[in-house]
Amino acid sequence: MKISRITVFHVDLPLEHPYWLAGGSLKFETLDATIVKLETDEGLIGWGEGTPWGHTYVPAHGPGIRAGLETMAPFILGLDPRNVLDVERAMDLALPGHLYAKSPVDMACWDIAGQAAGRPIADLMGGGSRTPAPIASSVGAKTVDETREVMERYRARGYVAHSVKIGGDVERDIARIRDVEKIRKPGERVLYDVNRAWTRQQALRVMTATQDLDVMFEQPGESLDDIAAIRALHPAPVSVDESLVTLQDACRIARDGLAEVFGIKLNRVGGLTKAARMRDVGLAHGIDFYVMATGGSVLADTEALHLAATIPDQNLLGVWACQDMLTVDIADGRGPRNTNGHLALTDTPGLGVAPNEDSLGQPVAIYTS
Ligand code: MG
């Protein structure tokens, strides 16, 4: 089986509500999605998606994915998509780095491999849990009142896990954390996500002022060096996501004890093939997980769910479903959907969901062998 055609679509995915990160310094209204259709000489079709969270969140952007695909296409065409390692190595040879540009191709290859085997991707990766995974909300807000309002909106949809975005102002962060802990319901899981927005002194001040609450922080500094410095001075559990990009990052975090949780975002780390290695490093070091798409449609959510399903239930803290934040649905309601705040894997072979091609518009590029 050979990859015979790569078709690239560009779709804008508007967010239902404006979204704020880093204490309100970054605003997001529309996500730039790249949808990739891989066709094979045997008629199987695989779908992939790469949707960074805007251009300002991490070093990844939509036009960069499409430029990267143009560069990598000649190296991918003709390969057997079921041999995901061959495709991975070809992409790494054609374009070092730029992991976010590779994830949609990796995803489409896994989709085809699953369909060819008649098994869901997670089962093909070694076995997928069918326990519904809790979806973490994404509470991008600025004030105490807004935080309550957004959390209520998610609770109304059944969410029991929340990622509350903080950072940027010490007093406000302390007030918001104390308020959320006050209204937190039994069984609710809350992660306070700084998204790199603290300096070291800000991190230590907020973490110390909320020490009595026993809460967990995500990405409390810009870099792994910052997190290492903070960790030496404060015992709060930490999740790392923006600084977890490569397998080398995962090894350093695990070996040096920089975090208790990996936040794996599949677009950022380059897709399922690379993320699976991070999973294994984490599991071998007693690290738990949040698994997410960086953003995007139900296709990206479903990719993340497959990896999440390969993690033992007790080590998986949550997934994320960006689908609930968008005003458009390129798959017409198909695929895993939020049910009482959880996503459940189905037995459909491959990825298990495909877009309605009519909703993607005209292709922006087609590469053929
Ligand atoms: Mg995060």
Side-chain angles (χ1 to χ4, degrees):
M1 187 188 301
K2 291 179 178 172
I3 299 170
S4 56
R5 180 190 288 254
I6 305 166
T7 306
V8 182
F9 300 89
H10 169 207
V11 185
D12 279 329
L13 302 175
L15 296 171
E16 186 180 1
H17 302 279
Y19 184 90
W20 300 90
L21 273 185
S25 62
L26 300 177
K27 185 181 184 184
F28 303 88
E29 293 177 292
T30 299
L31 303 182
D32 175 329
T34 301
I35 308 293
V36 174
K37 179 186 184 186
L38 281 195
E39 292 174 75
T40 66
D41 59 352
E42 295 185 16
L44 284 180
I45 294 172
W47 290 95
E49 173 174 0
T51 306
W53 193 258
H55 304 335
T56 51
Y57 168 57
V58 291
H61 77 317
I65 294 180
R66 298 185 287 277
L69 290 169
E70 182 177 357
T71 300
M72 294 185 291
F75 296 80
I76 301 164
L77 288 162
L79 296 180
D80 187 331
R82 296 168 300 181
N83 295 343
V84 292
L85 296 177
D86 289 349
V87 176
E88 180 198 30
R89 288 165 192 156
M91 290 195 289
D92 286 344
L93 186 67
L95 184 67
H98 299 275
L99 300 173
Y100 63 97
K102 297 166 181 172
S103 78
V105 173
D106 177 80
M107 175 177 168
C109 287
W110 277 102
D111 186 13
I112 291 170
Q115 291 176 54
R119 311 187 72 195
I121 290 172
D123 288 351
L124 195 63
M125 294 177 86
S129 169
R130 297 307 195 266
T131 306
I135 309 171
S137 72
S138 199
V139 183
K142 289 186 285 188
T143 66
V144 166
D145 289 343
E146 282 170 6
T147 305
R148 282 188 176 222
E149 189 184 314
V150 177
M151 276 186 73
E152 280 306 326
R153 212 158 63 210
Y154 279 107
R155 280 172 169 165
R157 291 172 168 177
Y159 283 66
V160 293
H162 303 279
S163 174
V164 176
K165 309 303 174 186
I166 58 173
D169 184 283
V170 167
E171 295 305 323
R172 190 173 60 193
D173 285 345
I174 295 168
R176 289 178 62 212
I177 293 168
R178 289 211 165 272
D179 191 66
V180 168
E181 289 301 309
K182 198 162 66 186
I183 63 167
R184 184 157 66 88
K185 295 179 177 172
E188 274 189 328
R189 182 177 287 163
V190 180
L191 175 72
Y192 294 94
D193 190 353
V194 187
N195 293 110
R196 302 172 293 161
W198 282 340
T199 60
R200 295 185 188 186
Q201 60 87 7
Q202 288 176 318
L204 290 170
R205 287 164 64 199
V206 178
M207 292 165 97
T208 302
T210 55
Q211 195 160 342
D212 58 307
L213 300 172
D214 186 26
V215 297
M216 182 159 71
F217 298 94
E218 186 162 82
Q219 195 71 36
E222 176 72 32
S223 66
L224 289 182
D225 288 336
D226 290 330
I227 292 171
I230 296 161
R231 295 278 291 174
L233 298 167
H234 200 277
V238 162
S239 167
V240 169
D241 68 346
E242 285 97 347
S243 289
L244 174 58
V245 180
T246 66
L247 184 61
Q248 289 79 3
D249 295 332
C251 291
R252 177 184 170 193
I253 295 164
R255 185 187 59 228
D256 293 351
L258 301 186
E260 287 70 36
V261 175
F262 280 177
I264 296 181
K265 288 197 173 74
L266 283 160
N267 181 250
R268 186 186 63 235
V269 307
L272 290 163
T273 305
K274 292 181 188 298
R277 301 188 188 106
M278 294 180 171
R279 172 203 60 201
D280 293 340
V281 168
L283 286 173
H285 290 81
I287 287 170
D288 293 331
F289 298 85
Y290 282 97
V291 181
M292 296 157 264
T294 303
S297 76
V298 66
L299 273 66
D301 293 342
T302 305
E303 180 196 27
L305 181 62
H306 281 286
L307 181 74
T310 69
I311 293 169
D313 292 345
Q314 65 269 24
N315 300 104
L316 179 71
L317 299 180
V319 296
W320 181 55
C322 186
Q323 56 185 266
D324 277 356
M325 302 173 73
L326 305 174
T327 59
V328 298
D329 184 352
I330 64 169
D332 301 333
R334 295 188 301 269
R337 301 287 168 162
N338 170 25
T339 306
N340 289 327
H342 291 73
L343 277 189
L345 194 65
T346 70
D347 290 326
T348 311
L351 183 66
V353 60
N356 172 1
E357 205 166 327
D358 291 339
S359 70
L360 303 179
Q362 289 299 311
V364 294
I366 298 174
Y367 307 101
T368 55
S369 50

